[in-house]
Amino acid sequence: MFTKTCLDLWKEECQQQCIVTFCRDLDQAVGNGIPISIITEFCGPPGSGKTQMCLQLCINVQIPVALGGLGAKAIYFDTNFGFHPGRLQEIGSACVRHCEKLVEVHKKDLVEATRDLTIDNLMNGVYYKHIHSCSEMLEGLVTLEKLLKSGEKVKLVVIDSISFLIRNNIENTLERIRVDHVILTKLHILAQQYKCAVVITNDVTTRINGQVSKIVPALGEGHSHKINQRIVFGPSSDDPPGIGIASVEKGLFRTRMAVKFQISNAGIRGIRKK
């Protein structure tokens, strides 16, 4: 029954693969990037950067292994038409330029590694599916499992957004909890079995307790217990537009902390320290 020790687990954790975000402070706040084998949730109000981060990860997961990426593909389940292929192309173009410059300046012997890193290949490395209902979401996960079983190298699965899907398709609270539990349980199994990162986005809602109201993540406490890591996005009141704050509210590798990031034409980037 007992085949692993804590030392074994620690060694596995040290070798854990991650997807970089291109924001170094955020990568360090969650370990070395968004880790595989677990569910990470991006939570926040509309316009806070959740979808932008998902698009960035869809590009970054495809960076060649020789350059620190995973050289893999991504699956994007879109529930509220937040996905924009033109924006993905823009982020991908910036990533290609970044990798080419990296090779040119630091690792000229890795020119071959970036030969296939083109805009078309990056766009072709993201499978897209719009989801209209919870039953269609469950069917999509069955199809995803078949794809993973076939040997397709998929290392990122995105659902944007899970709260929009559940709250707009199910009125009964208990049924919402049940369906959410079923979806997340299946995602946990796939993430662990096939060593892929699962990223979901969640909205915020107002919780009223007496005369006190508080902005909290949607879908309730039961949902919070089912995710492994939660990063809350919000605007930075002291900075110009395009600068946001990512707060690690729940994580496996670090204590709670907040870092700044920026959304530029090139995608997600860190804030240059003066």
Side-chain angles (χ1 to χ4, degrees):
M1 178 184 294
F2 301 107
T3 59
K4 287 186 178 181
T5 68
C6 290
L7 179 61
D8 295 327
L9 295 176
W10 178 74
K11 288 179 179 179
E12 289 178 6
E13 185 176 302
C14 290
Q15 298 175 352
Q16 179 80 287
Q17 291 181 305
C18 298
I19 308 171
V20 296
T21 65
F22 279 175
C23 175
R24 181 176 298 178
D25 289 341
L26 180 56
D27 288 340
Q28 293 177 345
V30 294
N32 292 307
I34 304 302
I36 66 169
S37 300
I38 70 170
I39 298 177
T40 296
E41 180 183 88
F42 298 150
C43 183
S48 59
K50 303 187 300 294
T51 296
Q52 297 295 313
M53 185 65 77
C54 290
L55 295 177
Q56 185 71 64
L57 292 175
C58 284
I59 294 297
N60 291 2
V61 73
Q62 300 183 64
I63 295 174
V65 175
L67 294 179
L70 301 186
K73 297 181 179 181
I75 302 287
Y76 204 106
F77 293 111
D78 180 20
T79 70
N80 61 352
F81 293 105
F83 181 90
H84 195 287
R87 180 58 174 150
L88 184 71
Q89 186 180 48
E90 189 174 36
I91 294 173
S93 179
C95 180
V96 169
R97 293 194 300 270
H98 171 79
C99 290
E100 288 176 344
K101 183 180 294 185
L102 184 65
V103 170
E104 180 181 343
V105 175
H106 300 290
K107 301 179 179 180
K108 294 183 179 180
D109 57 322
L110 295 178
V111 172
E112 187 66 30
T114 58
R115 194 173 301 279
D116 294 328
L117 192 66
T118 65
I119 305 299
D120 287 348
N121 284 343
L122 288 175
M123 296 287 285
N124 204 41
V126 182
Y127 296 115
Y128 173 86
K129 174 64 178 177
H130 180 73
I131 299 296
H132 299 84
S133 65
C134 294
S135 59
E136 191 174 359
M137 181 74 255
L138 293 172
E139 291 173 4
L141 294 181
V142 171
T143 302
L144 170 61
E145 184 174 17
K146 292 178 180 178
L147 188 66
L148 293 169
K149 279 184 177 180
S150 72
E152 191 74 29
K153 193 176 181 182
V154 172
K155 290 296 181 182
L156 174 64
V157 178
V158 174
I159 300 180
D160 183 24
S161 93
I162 192 169
S163 53
F164 183 89
L165 174 70
I166 292 175
R167 296 172 76 190
N168 284 274
N169 282 277
I170 304 174
E171 294 185 2
N172 183 274
T173 301
L174 292 178
E175 182 63 10
R176 284 182 179 179
I177 294 172
R178 187 192 71 80
V179 172
D180 184 45
H181 179 86
V182 170
I183 292 174
L184 293 178
T185 298
K186 187 62 179 178
L187 287 171
H188 269 297
I189 294 172
L190 294 178
Q192 285 285 332
Q193 186 171 355
Y194 296 100
K195 305 302 179 186
C196 59
V198 173
V199 171
I200 63 176
T201 67
N202 191 7
D203 300 312
V204 293
T205 187
T206 302
R207 177 185 295 168
I208 300 177
N209 186 7
Q211 295 182 339
V212 179
S213 62
K214 183 180 180 181
I215 302 297
V216 298
L219 299 179
E221 291 295 328
H223 172 85
S224 299
H225 292 309
K226 288 288 289 182
I227 59 173
N228 304 111
Q229 183 167 259
R230 169 175 282 159
I231 304 173
V232 178
F233 292 93
S236 176
S237 57
D238 300 327
D239 295 291
I243 305 296
I245 295 178
S247 302
V248 182
E249 299 294 330
K250 179 182 180 181
L252 297 178
F253 310 107
R254 297 289 186 274
T255 56
R256 294 177 62 177
M257 64 182 301
V259 302
K260 290 185 179 181
F261 69 96
Q262 63 176 333
I263 303 174
S264 67
N265 291 336
I268 300 295
R269 294 294 186 272
I271 303 295
R272 292 183 179 179
K273 296 179 173 60
K274 299 180 180 180

